Structures are given as C-alpha cells and as structure tokens.
Amino acid sequence: MPDPRTSGTGRTGRALAGRAFAHRLFWPLAALGALLVVNVIATPTFFNVRIQDGHLFGSLVDIVRNGAPVLLVAIGMTLVIATRGIDLSVGAVAAIAGAVACVYIVKSPASGAAGTAIVAITTALAVCVALGLWNGFLVSVIGIQPIIATLVLMVAGRGIAMLVTGGQITTVNNDTFAALASGYLLTLPVAALIALGVFAATQVVVRRTALGMLIESVGINPEASRLAGVRSRTIIWTVYVFAALCAGTAGLIIAANTHSVNANSLGLWIELDAILAVVIGGTSLAGGRFSLAGSLVGAMLIATLTRTIPNIGIPAEANYLFKALVVVMVCLLQSPKARAVLQRRGERPAGPPSPSSREEAVA
Amino acid sequence: MSITAPTGVLAGVGRFTPPRRYLPVLGTFALFIGMFGVGGIRYEGFADPQVFLTLLLDNAFLIVLAVGMTFVILTGGIDLSVGSNVALSTLIAARTLELGWPVVTVIGVVLLAGTLLGTAMGLLIHYFDIQPFIATLAGMFLARGLCYLISVDSIPIKNETFSAIAFGSITLPGGYYLGWTAVFALVIVGIAAYVLASTRFGRTVYALGGSEPSALLMGLPVAVTKVGVYAISGFCAALGGLLFALYTLSGYSLHAVGMELDAIAAVVIGGTLLTGGRGFVVGSLLGVLVLGTIQTFISFDGTLSSWWTRITIGVLVLVFVVLQRVLTRRS
Amino acid sequence: MSQAEVTPPRPVVEMRDVSITFGTVRALDQVSLRLLPGEVHALMGENGAGKSTLIKALTGVYTIDSGQVDVDGVETQFATPAAAQHAGISTVYQEVNLVPNLTVAENMLLGREPRRLGRILRREMNRRAADSLQALGIDVDPTSELGSHPIAVQQLVAIARAVDTDARVLILDEPTSSLDADEVARLFEVMRRLREEDTAIVFVSHFLDQVFEIADRMTILRNGRVVGERMVAETTQLELVQLMIGRDLQALERIDHAAQEVAEAEETGEAAAQRLPVLSAVGLGRKGSLEATDLTLYAGEVVGIAGLLGSGRTELARLLFGADAADTGDLSIEGSSRRRLRSPRHAIDRNLAFCSEDRKAEGVFEELSVADNMLLGLQASRGWLRPIPPATRATLVAEFMTALDIRPADPSLPMRSLSGGNQQKVLLARWLITEPDVLLLDEPTRGIDIGAKTQIQQLVVDLAEKGMSVVFISAELEEVLRLSHRLVVLKDRRKIAERPNVDISVNDVLEIITGEPGGLAEKERVDA
C-alpha cells in the first residue's frame, strides 16, 4: 500500500487524519476524490459555490448538509465501536427524539415560539440520555453482548416512537425548530454546523481528556485494562449515552428538515450507514484504535455517493448497489487475510501468535 | 472410585440437564399457549382452530426465513440480508413470469439466485474473515439495489399456477382448511429439524456455535459448514420470497423492508442463543407464531394500537435475552 | 519397565532438527524427538521452553521452517489438525477442546458418528460412547450435556475421544492440571492399558511426581532446544529440574555465594524488627488454584516466591491483587478496612501494583503509544475527566524513560515496536508512576535480554531500599535467591516452606521442592 505521505493526496491526508492514521485513510480519501472527479466530469459546475441571500449554495454544501445526520450518528458509533461494542438502536433513538420534540411542540400552546422549540429539543435529548443509559446498563452491568443488547431497543424503539406520536405523522410549524435543518448561520447551513461542531467538540474532548485513551485501552485489551484498574463500566456507559445523544440530535435534524416526524421511517437504516461510515473510516469493528476523522470521511463518502448517482444519470435507487460494492471493497482492503492473498505473501505473521490470533493460526 | 464423589452431585445436575436444554423452547410454547388462551377468553372466536391455521398461512414466509436464520444464528453468525433477499425473489419471480417463463424455471431461478447470494456472503465471511454483520449488510444493500434495477414499480403476478397455489388449501376434518403455503413452511421446518438433529452437518452447526476453535481442532469440516449455513439461509430467504410473492401476488422492491429483524426476533424469542450453539428450529416456529399471535390480538381487540406489536416484541426479546444470560451464567 | 530394550522398535514418530521461528523469536531450535510404541514419553520444560510449540508442529497446527517429521519412517507434514488425527495422532489440549453445548456422546464421536443413509444413529452412538467410557472407568451419562460437568470430567471425556479414534500416538498436554489425585490414578490406569496396546503416549505435565510415576522416557526442553533425552528410571528429580532450569551443580554453587552476600547483609535480625507489615494474608485461597495460604509483607523487603510452573506462584500473586477473587481467607492491608479484594481497582486504590507474567495478554496495549502505556495506570486511577496535565505527562514519561533506560527513547512509538525487555520496563514504569506500597512482580524478567534483566533486578533492589514491599516471582531460582530477603516455596498449589534467605543455595531450594535427600527439613514453616 502506498504511503500517502509520499503520494499525491498526502497533504490532505495528513491534515485530516493526523500522523498515525494517515495510511488508513488513503483508500477512503482516494475513493472520495474519485467520486468528486466523476461528478465534475458529469457536471463541470459541480464545485461551483455561490452566495445567494447571504447563504452558501452549491452541490458541495448540499453534500455536507445532507450528510450531517449520518455524520452525527457515526461520531457516536465510532466511540461505541472502539470499545468493542456496537449500537443498533440509533435509528430508533433518532425516531424517538424526533417524535418527542415534534409532539411537544404540537401540544404546546405556543407551538411557534422559539422557547417552545428549545424546551422541546432539550426534552428530546434528555430522553436520549435515558435511552443511552438503558443500553449502557444492559451492556456493562448485565453483561449482554452489545449487538444483542441494542437489538432490544432497535426492535421496540419505533413502537415507542409511534406510541409518542399516536401513530400519526406529526407536522410542526416552528421556525426555530425548522432552522435546525434549513437554517443558515454565517452563510453556512445550521445542520452542517451542528454536525461539524459536534465532531470538533468530540475530537477535542476525546483527545484532550483521557477519554480517548481509556476507550481505546478497553477496546484493545479488556483484560489488561481491568488489571491496570480502568473503570470499564463507566467508560462503556459513557459511550452509549453519547451515542444516543448523537443519534437524538440527528433525529431532530431529520425531523426539522421535513417539518414532521414519521415514526416508521425517520432514521430508518441510519445505523447501517453510520456503521458503514465508521468501517470505511478505518476503525475496526473489533475495537481499539479509532479515528473520528476517518468516520467523517466515511460519512462524507456516503453522502457524496448518494449525490453522485443521480448526478451521473443512474437512477437514484441504484445507490444500494454501489453501497454494497463500497462495503465489500473497503472490507476486503482492510482484511488481513485478503491482503495476504492479494499480495501473495505466504510469510508467517511476525511475532509469536497471540491468544486471539492463535485461532487464526489454527485455520 | 474417586469419581463417585462428584458423580453424586453430577447425577443431580444430570437429571436437570435435558429440561434445561429445552427450557427456553418450553417457555416459548407456554407463552404461545398462554396468549392463545387469554385471547380465547377475552375475544369471541379467537380460540377457533381456524384462527391458528390462518396464523400459519399469514406467516408462512416468515417461518421459512426464521428457519434459515436459525441455522446461521446457531453458528454464532447473523444474516441481515434476508429481507432484501425476499424482495429480490418476489421481483425475479414477478418479472420472469411477466416474460412468460415456465413456472418451474422461475422457481428454480429464484431459488438459485438466493442460494448464490447466501453462498457468496458465506465465502466472504469464512475466507476473508469479514464479520457476518458487515458481509450480510453488503448482501442486504446488494439485493435491494438489484431490486431497483429490475423494477422500481410493483409488478403484479397474474400467473394461474401461482394463483392456484396461493389460494389452494387442504381441507381438514371439521371444515377447517390449511393453505398450501403453510404446508410448505411446515415441511421446511420438519426437514430443517431433521437435518439439525440427525445429520453430521447439523451437529457440526451446533459444534461451530459451541466453539469454533474446538471444532477446528476436532477436525470437523468448518469451512463447508460455515459457508453452508449462509447458503441455506439464502435458499430459505428465496423460498420465503416465493411464498411472499404467493401471499401478495406481486413483486416489489419495497417488499419485506425490515423483515430480517422480525426473523431475528422470532429466532431469539424461540429460545435460540444469539451467541450460537443452542436452540431449535421448532422454537423459531413457535417464535413466529408468538409474533403472529400478537398481531392477531391487536386485530381482534380493535382498541389496541399497532405499535404495541413492536414494543411487545422488543420486551419479549429482552426477557429472553436476559433469561438466557442468567441461564448461561449459572452454567 | 522399558520394553524398548528387549526389541528396539521403530519409532512411530521421529522429528529431526525441527525449527520454527515466530518473527524474530526462535520458538524451536533444531529439536529432535522420537516416540516409540508402547512407551510413555514425558515432555519436560519450564514456561516458554517450547513444549506446546513442538506439539503443535507435530499435529499440523504450525508449519515447520526446517527439519523433518517422519511418521512410520515416511516423511510427513500435516496440513491441518484433522490430517494428523486421520494419521492416528490424537491430541488432548490443556484447555478442553470440546464443545460444551453438545452431549458427552456427541463430543466423543463428533465427525465419525455411526450413520445409516446419512442419519445419525443416536442410540448406537450413545451405546458406543457408554462402552468407551466404561472401558476407561469414567462414570458419566453419555446423553448429558458436556458443559454441565466439571472441567475434570470434561478433560476425561476429551481423553476418551482421543483414545476412541484408535490413536497410535496420543498426546496429552497437561491433562492432569485440573484432576484430583484419584482422577489422576484413573487416567494413569488408562494410560498403562494403552501402553500395553503399543500406543505411543506423549505426556506433558509440570507435576514431577506424576511424571516419575508414569513416564518411561523423557525429553527435556529449554529455550526451544533439547537439553536431554533420558530414561526416567535412570534419572533423579533433582537432575531433571537442573536440566529444566539450566544450571549444572557446580554453577549453582557459584551463584550461591552471590545470593548469600545479599542475604547476609540484609538479614540481621534488627532490620527485620524495624520493618512494618504493609499487607498480611491469612488463609487466602481459591478452589482449584491455591490452597489456604498465609503471607505477610513488610515495607522495604523483597519476598521471593520459588516454585515450579503450576505450583501456585502466579495464583498467589493474582489473589493478593484481587485479579482473581479469593474463596477463603482475609487480607488486611495497612490503612484499609477491606478484608478481601474483589477487583484490581480496589487493590490499586490501596496502593498495590501487579505486573502479570503474561505481558502480551494482560499488560501491553500494542497499538497505544509507549507514553500512553506508561501513564495508563495513573490515568485509570484519576478517571477520564481528570487528564494528566501535558507538562506532568511529559515530565513523568521523560523521567521514567531515562530512569529505566527504555529504548528507543521515543515515547510516541506504538508499544508493539518495542522489544520484550523494553515493554516490560514500560509496564514497570506504569506501576511505579502510581507510587505503590506493594509491588507484585510475576516473572518480570522472562523472555527478555540479559541487559534489561540486570537493570530490572537492580531496580527491584533499589525500590526495596526506598521502602517498597516487593514480591518477586521467577522461574529462575538463582534470580529469586539473589534478590529476596525472605523466601517462600510453593509446590502443588500450597506453601511448603518460608524462611529468611540466609545460607540457602539453589540446591537447597530444589531439594525442598523435590523432597529428595539432602534437603533441609521439608515443610518447615517460619511464620511471620
């Protein structure tokens, strides 16, 4: 694999990803670049950005704005996956958040007021914290496998969201709330600003406090973490609450975008897109080292792909085919076994086999 | 006779072992009977055997899906692609029938396509160490994408043979009837139960779920079995798709959205351990029936809202998962 | 005893000059092994000597880099464990390699069940399993689930499976570690019967008495090399242990002098009286790992734990640290009211620290940087919300990189790029940064180069001088004797001796362990 530091995309790669992860981001960035090139060939004005009514407009701006919900969910998912976990319930949590906020606004006497929207948003996020606590409780206290523990809320969550909305598609008319999705601040779309803001804040918190290091230690070697005195339970609980909060925010943006909430479809499959973004970004589903920047690239890649397909004249529905292709390609490129086959290197893996890799050695 | 000392204790444990292995399935069975009993007391006509037979008919496709899913989950894997695979199968069937292909060829093509998709995912999982979750996620996207390539709109099925099968039924004594598709589903359950219980392949499936490294060291055919369960799941999804096409008499790319979740839930409620190695096909059948009964309940009641279905399923999954966690922890 | 001398039979398996390298580590170095039919062949060696690797090389789990394996005089290389099994080489591993969720009978016959037209004949299968179990004198219901039985019974079932394949070579890798005395006797009966039927049996065990009871011949490994092949009848336990540990008698005597210097200088009565107890354990034990043991640790003292692999030396350290929860006994730690430790977190809060023997699995975070690895212990104690300030971080890291001479001296490198010795020093630094009162070191010098080893030994001496209480566990007796003020000897999961390290030679310790003539009074206890 070429080292991006010496290759053409080296500078962007380093700036985005930081030193250790630069090489992992080479392929996702290359894919993103390729997609953008394809778009420019199909539509030469693709990169054009214009200012209208003090707002930035253009395909690139759209991509960032439309990719915001997936990016938000992917940020939370990255931390969960880094602890060797997974959160399947984020789509349902997003639906619940949207439902709670919209129903609160609709039932409020001042349903158009800014204050109402703020209380609604706060309430929705508080509910998300509770849901995250629930997931974290099942995983860290009861000790249920994350994929199973979060399946419970994935199944029941949409029912809960429908319970909140009474099964209706709830429509709201509140400008403050709608601004979450369609508003602009400093010429930039609010949705994108929120997502990028959460991204930056998470990056700072994770790297400036010890959270990132402790998350990685739990994901890399749970037993060594235990012996080193790491309070894994607190760490795991924290990441599930955070993931639920991110999912809730994404749900609010989606609801604000349509001025309504449909408990059945809001955030449907967003967990899969988010997991995909994380995996494309180079964070292993086996836990350990994570890259938020990678997830950002992954989320943008998915958003760009969604945009590219109609742009080059393929029916939008074929989106899924390309997604499947991307998943397989990225996973194969990251799979050590596939690499070994591709590079035809029959060498023995360096170092004596560890307990975990011993099983592979048997194979 | 040193072993006699522990044997005294062991014999005690041994006596309880068979019931414990069947405990989750018995629990599901009790749950099903209980729900039907409560329904029978509360609603007029609920206890009618025809309600039960209709339950089988309405859920025939889900039963078949759950059977395939059981194989996969028993090895400790998961298959997210089955819902999309069902949709793809309905579309292939509808489109080829539209083109005037003979029914037998249509069925063959559908089953082959589904099995191939499953096999491809199995190969990725076994030979390239891609996690089942991700590999079948790719399969899910692929199948859904292929659906849209075939047709974005719903295609009706007007084939006479198909209609005949769809509406055909066996008349049982007492004037009750059981739809053909339900009979197919039950036959599949029977075959699967036999394969899992009484063939080497079936026992290897359980061994894989118990401990894959051990299975390797014991010299069992791990590769064939692992790829095999995904092929079986693909086959079952295709068959489920055919039954679904019969049920709806149409092919549509938006069919069966999220059905993989129902299948997984049915398997879990049926007492199969999601970590693999423990469970029975009959349990999955019961799991589907429990899901169906919840819906029947809601339709009989009239005052209950449809979302209680999902919430109840979620609660049931939780109860079973926690119960099994407690059971496995004790052993 | 040895029929081999009557008619020298052809070896069933002959391995010649087999070598295996993992990365830079030479796991097997030109190892040769011959297995004769009708003989129990013991494979002896301390941890890391290469026993498991040798077995896995023979059974097709690992591929060999050079050398030759002949089976029945024909050169063979098994590609998979299944192929080896097919050729009649059956293995029972220490960790039971069966599936707990199937029945005993299924586990015994999985992959070769009696069938008719593809259908497994369950009754026939249960009958066959019952017959085999009965033949081995194992009283288990074949239709019961394997996982419902204790590990010892599972182990016997695994042996029953191996025997049932008509194996010509049966490899038993530490099969007795979870069996009690009567179960061992039963196993030995089975082994004797198989020996009479001309099966070649490889027996790996760290229980010397068992080896001397059952084995005919043995091959001794050390550091991946064969250091001797002996007839058991012509060898004493003392000779065997010397071969395993790697010192001839004269060399041992020479090191004794070095050890005594330390001991004499330190152990002068008054010094001991001045020391304060920092931790004392009364009747600390855990089922299956350590019998009730008393131990008191004093500030400024190094307690050396001697004992062979499996003697309970690691288990003792883990119980003291709360890494495993104790079933019995009390632990009193100065300034703490807690009687037992339930987790390492509790131990660390009471100023204990523990370096595990298994660096890779229980210590190192390979993908994290050296600095992170070093600071993890302190950071875990502070919690994630209170990060160590960057300036403190830098100072601490720089200080310990220099103090422990960690190389390469770049703390931002990933831990995996360091050598074993340097990784060990980083782990030591992790604990030293937390400023513990009690430092438990389990094999801190294993598998590292001689330079790092000396540095770590010096560090232990220095730490004790500064008032820390250190528990030092090592397979190398001379190292234990050189460093410790007080010596505790463990054997078969119990403490068999404890005394000040005065006038004790490596030979004396060996004699205590093997219980052979010339030893000081065995089981003598000096209670603190």
Side-chain angles (χ1 to χ4, degrees), chain B residues 1-3 7 10 13 17 21 194 197-200 203 206-207 210-211 214 216-220 277-278, chain C residues 82 85 97-99 101-102 106-107 110-113 115 118-120 122 143 145 149-150 161 182-183 186:
Chain B
M1 290 301 267
S2 73
I3 307 200
T7 315
L10 285 180
V13 175
T17 308
R21 201 184 315 162
Y194 174 80
S198 301
T199 66
R200 261 184 206 173
R203 299 325 284 171
Y206 281 92
S211 164
S214 287
L216 265 173
L217 287 173
M218 286 164 103
L220 301 178
R278 251 168 235 278
Chain C
Q85 245 170 55
N97 62 304
L98 299 178
V99 284
N101 54 326
L102 295 181
E106 284 180 317
N107 268 294
L110 210 54
R112 49 202 160 78
E113 302 92 340
R115 292 186 298 178
R119 178 194 164 83
I120 294 174
R122 201 164 275 267
T143 60
E145 210 173 275
H149 298 296
R161 175 184 166 90
D182 292 320
E183 287 161 345
R186 165 110 356 106

Side-chain angles (χ1 to χ4, degrees), chain B residues 119-178:
Chain B
T119 311
M121 292 184 304
L123 291 173
L124 279 182
I125 290 163
H126 183 74
Y127 287 102
F128 294 108
D129 270 345
I130 295 182
Q131 295 191 348
F133 187 89
I134 291 294
T136 58
L137 177 63
M140 170 186 179
F141 286 143
L142 182 75
R144 205 54 88 174
L146 289 173
C147 284
Y148 291 118
L149 280 197
I150 294 174
S151 167
V152 177
D153 304 313
S154 177
I155 306 173
I157 294 177
K158 292 170 187 148
N159 182 287
E160 281 165 21
T161 319
F162 260 61
S163 310
I165 301 173
F167 296 113
S169 60
I170 304 175
T171 311
L172 300 173
Y176 301 115
Y177 64 93
L178 180 60

Side-chain angles (χ1 to χ4, degrees), chain B residues 242-314:
Chain B
L242 283 175
L243 295 181
F244 197 76
L246 289 170
Y247 188 67
T248 58
L249 283 179
S250 68
Y252 187 29
S253 51
L254 287 177
H255 272 332
V257 169
M259 199 182 275
E260 58 278 348
L261 223 52
D262 288 336
I264 295 170
V267 172
V268 172
I269 293 174
T272 300
L273 211 58
L274 262 177
T275 43
R278 251 168 235 278
F280 302 94
V281 174
V282 173
S284 304
L285 170 66
L286 290 169
V288 173
L289 291 179
V290 166
L291 297 190
T293 312
I294 297 171
Q295 260 152 3
T296 314
F297 237 96
I298 284 161
S299 65
F300 264 79
D301 188 283
T303 59
L304 284 173
S305 309
S306 63
W307 49 83
W308 287 107
T309 315
R310 298 216 70 94
I311 297 179
T312 319
I313 296 174

Side-chain angles (χ1 to χ4, degrees), chain C residues 238 505 507-512 514-522:
Chain C
L238 200 56
S505 67
N507 238 3
D508 296 337
V509 179
L510 292 180
E511 282 164 0
I512 296 174
T514 57
E516 284 188 357
L520 303 170
E522 197 193 350

